[in-house]
């Protein structure tokens, strides 16, 4: 890891190679770097007044949009939107989705809150609106691009559409260290999502059946406040996983600290409820006891308390250990 | 004749010739940027963003081999024709000749 600011070339090479497979990424990066350096040298030989930075800038403008270059390396056809418009389409989509969806969702949820809705219905409504927004925005943006592209007769250029052409200044900053693996991120998110679905499912469609009556495992009274809170902390954990991957910085001390906090946010309500013997559905406990099952609710609660704290501590230590391994901490 | 129309048709016509020009040049080991300059000097104006991915595709198809040379100031990837690449060049040139003959016959 170097402390120097990434150059335009660093940023360009990162942008052009980040979507390539592991097997060719480093090789392409190295060749691209050499090619750019050769071009910079040639430009400066032709025009000695040109300084290093302007020459680098000019060389990158010649190479053009790194997304387009990346696509032609990967050999992936970009077909719904033709190659001329694809980079602009994908940029517009990303920009609109990451700004509009969270803002509108938060505003709608705030309106619900003022209207005195229950936390459960605010969260449900918010999640539903977020999904609906993503679907609508994606559809309408894509449709408008398709219409524009199909209705113009040849000679369609980004300039003619008033879309600002790609510029080296718009290159993203490359990550400081190795990116965490996508597989690990997706696995973590999947587990968190499954946990959330199980929590909701055991309430909505209980599988434990006693005397023909279906009983949720977790106390239904907790849905007035505690369970929605747990679901929100689960969502925070998912957002954290996604953010960590997006930042591409691997495990930094900041992420390890955040990981500790989000883990605690999730573990704390569960641990608190377990320590108060309030997690299990009293009706279920009573029914089980009447069935003659030897069952001690306080032991189950103690086990859940231990598991919640244990997972949190293990996850925290694991996060900090990964920081150490990534060289973010003095050994 | 409209200059734009001419330019776009010439571009269409030349598109496939870049592969032939590259294969013809790469009987000698050459690195990407040097090939770019050599082609430009010979009148094949190719952009880096076309040529670099093209070289990789040809390599993947077994028409080129490559080797990193790390002895000079910056590491450079040198490409060279394989026997398959040379065979393809011959086949393309034959096709080129026969197309030319056919067109002449049609006029």
């Amino acid at each position: 890891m170097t402390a120097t600011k990434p150059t335009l070339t660093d940023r360009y090479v990162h942008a052009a190679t980040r979507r390539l497979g592991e097997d060719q990424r480093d090789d392409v990066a190295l060749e691209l770097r050499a090619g750019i350096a050769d071009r910079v040298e040639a430009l400066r030989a032709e025009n000695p007044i040109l300084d290093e930075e302007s020459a680098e800038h000019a060389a990158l403008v010649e190479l053009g949009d790194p997304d387009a270059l990346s696509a032609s390396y990967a050999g992936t056809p970009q077909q719904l939107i033709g190659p001329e418009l694809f980079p602009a389409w994908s940029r517009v989509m990303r920009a609109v989705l990451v700004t509009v969806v969270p803002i509108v969702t938060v505003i709608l949820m705030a309106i619900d809150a003022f209207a005195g809705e229950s936390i459960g219905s605010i969260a449900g409504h918010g999640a539903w609106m977020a999904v609906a927004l993503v679907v609508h925005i994606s559809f309408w943006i894509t449709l408008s691009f398709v219409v524009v592209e199909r209705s113009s007769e040849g000679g369609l250029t980004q300039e003619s559409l008033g879309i600002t052409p790609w510029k080296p200044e718009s290159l993203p900053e490359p990550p400081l260290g190795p990116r965490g693996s996508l597989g690990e991120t997706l696995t973590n998110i999947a587990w968190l999502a499954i946990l959330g679905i199980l929590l909701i499912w055991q309430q909505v469609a209980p599988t434990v059946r006693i005397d023909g009556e279906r009983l949720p495992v977790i106390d239904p009274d907790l849905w007035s406040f505690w369970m929605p809170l747990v679901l929100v902390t689960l969502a925070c954990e998912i957002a954290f996983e996604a953010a960590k991957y997006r930042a591409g910085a691997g495990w930094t001390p900041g992420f390890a600290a955040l990981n500790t906090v989000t883990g605690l946010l999730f573990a704390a309500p569960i641990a608190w409820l377990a320590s108060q013997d309030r997690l299990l559905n009293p009706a279920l406990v009573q029914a089980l006891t009447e069935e003659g099952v030897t069952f001690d609710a306080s032991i189950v609660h103690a086990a859940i308390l231990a598991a919640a704290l244990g997972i949190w501590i293990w996850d925290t230590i694991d996060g900090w250990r990964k920081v150490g391994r990534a060289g973010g901490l003095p050994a | 004749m409209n200059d734009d129309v001419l330019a776009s048709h010439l571009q269409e016509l030349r598109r496939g010739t870049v592969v032939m020009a590259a294969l013809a040049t790469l009987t000698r080991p050459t690195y990407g940027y040097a090939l770019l300059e050599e082609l430009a000097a010979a009148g094949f104006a190719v952009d880096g963003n076309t040529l670099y991915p093209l070289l990789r595709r040809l390599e993947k198809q077994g028409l080129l081999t490559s080797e990193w040379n790390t002895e000079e100031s910056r590491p450079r990837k040198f490409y060279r024709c394989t026997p398959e690449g040379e065979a393809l060049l011959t086949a393309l040139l034959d096709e080129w000749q026969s197309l030319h003959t056919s067109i002449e016959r049609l006029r």
Side-chain angles (χ1 to χ4, degrees):
Chain A
M1 221 185 281
T2 49
T4 50
K5 200 175 174 300
T7 62
L8 270 186
T9 304
D10 293 334
R11 287 157 61 186
Y12 187 92
V13 170
H14 166 66
T17 58
R18 62 187 159 171
R19 288 192 194 85
L20 299 178
E22 297 280 353
D23 50 331
Q24 58 169 350
R25 193 184 301 156
D26 292 347
D27 201 55
V28 169
L30 208 54
E31 186 183 26
L32 207 48
R33 253 174 218 291
I36 294 168
D38 283 334
R39 184 63 192 147
V40 168
E41 227 165 65
L43 282 171
R44 293 193 69 191
E46 280 168 27
N47 183 359
I49 320 160
L50 210 59
D51 62 84
E52 183 83 24
E53 261 170 42
S54 319
E56 188 181 15
H57 191 275
L60 294 182
V61 170
E62 283 179 6
L63 269 180
D65 193 324
D67 285 343
L69 182 59
S70 179
S72 78
Y73 268 120
T76 43
Q78 302 168 328
Q79 289 298 358
L80 175 61
I81 306 291
E84 184 68 32
L85 284 188
F86 183 85
W89 170 80
S90 93
R91 249 193 297 280
V92 169
M93 280 283 259
R94 258 177 288 161
V96 174
L97 287 179
V98 300
T99 51
V100 172
V101 175
I103 293 173
V104 175
T105 308
V106 167
I107 291 173
L108 286 171
M109 287 170 78
I111 293 172
D112 278 357
F114 280 119
E117 301 275 340
S118 77
I119 291 182
S121 99
I122 293 174
H125 191 202
W128 176 246
M129 282 310 300
V131 171
L133 278 171
V134 169
V135 171
H136 266 280
I137 291 173
S138 314
F139 176 76
W140 292 110
I141 289 179
T142 306
L143 182 67
S144 32
F145 268 87
V146 169
V147 168
V148 167
E149 188 171 65
R150 304 295 139 106
S151 60
S152 52
E153 293 187 9
L156 181 68
T157 61
Q158 303 194 357
E159 287 78 5
S160 73
L161 289 163
I163 298 164
T164 28
W166 174 84
K167 281 197 301 291
E169 286 76 10
S170 52
L171 285 168
E173 294 287 333
L176 295 169
R179 183 186 277 278
S181 99
L182 180 61
E184 184 193 308
T185 306
L186 290 179
T187 313
N188 289 347
I189 290 179
W191 276 118
L192 291 166
I194 289 170
L195 189 55
I197 290 166
L198 278 179
L199 280 177
I200 296 168
W201 187 48
Q202 63 82 34
Q203 170 67 35
V204 181
T207 45
V208 183
R209 200 189 282 251
I210 290 165
D211 283 345
E213 193 186 355
R214 289 163 165 266
L215 291 172
V217 176
I218 292 176
D219 190 350
D221 288 348
L222 294 175
W223 282 100
S224 63
F225 173 70
W226 286 103
M227 281 301 120
L229 178 68
V230 169
L231 289 181
V232 169
T233 61
L234 268 180
C236 289
E237 288 252 42
I238 290 177
F240 166 75
E241 289 292 339
K244 185 162 74 61
Y245 181 74
R246 257 195 80 82
W251 281 89
T252 62
F255 275 131
L258 209 57
N259 183 48
T260 308
V261 175
T262 55
L264 180 62
L265 280 179
F266 174 59
I270 293 176
W272 162 253
L273 291 170
S275 75
Q276 300 284 308
D277 278 358
R278 284 173 58 192
L279 208 47
L280 292 180
N281 184 0
L284 177 73
V285 174
Q286 201 190 343
L288 283 173
T289 318
E290 279 168 11
E291 287 280 298
V293 183
T294 334
F295 180 82
D296 190 341
S298 61
I299 291 180
V300 176
H301 277 123
I304 295 173
L305 174 62
L309 293 179
I311 290 172
W312 171 57
I313 291 168
W314 178 80
D315 185 44
T316 300
I317 293 173
D318 189 48
W320 287 103
R321 241 194 17 232
K322 281 175 180 156
V323 177
R325 233 180 295 148
L329 280 182
Chain B
M1 182 175 32
N2 184 328
D3 280 352
D4 286 350
V5 172
L6 172 66
S8 90
H9 282 285
L10 282 178
Q11 196 192 358
E12 286 281 324
L13 186 59
R14 284 168 160 270
R15 195 161 284 161
T17 63
V18 171
V19 172
M20 284 198 288
L23 288 174
T25 319
L26 289 175
T27 46
R28 307 171 293 279
T30 312
Y31 60 91
Y33 188 73
L35 178 61
L36 207 58
E37 286 200 313
E38 228 172 295
L39 291 180
F44 291 92
V46 196
D47 286 332
N49 55 15
T50 312
L51 187 70
Y52 295 137
L54 174 69
L55 289 174
R56 295 207 163 246
R57 270 202 299 285
L58 295 179
E59 188 186 1
K60 219 172 174 181
Q61 292 168 350
L63 303 166
L64 298 177
T65 54
S66 69
E67 204 179 328
W68 279 97
N69 180 335
T70 48
E71 282 159 27
E72 285 175 55
S73 59
R74 64 180 63 105
R76 279 170 174 146
K77 195 175 188 184
F78 279 75
Y79 292 90
R80 206 158 90 95
C81 257
T82 60
E84 287 85 357
E86 287 177 30
L88 177 73
L89 177 61
T90 313
L92 289 176
L93 285 173
D94 286 349
E95 179 69 11
W96 175 264
Q97 295 290 356
S98 86
L99 280 174
H100 182 79
T101 319
S102 307
I103 297 275
E104 285 302 324
R105 234 182 289 140
L106 284 173
R107 297 217 290 173

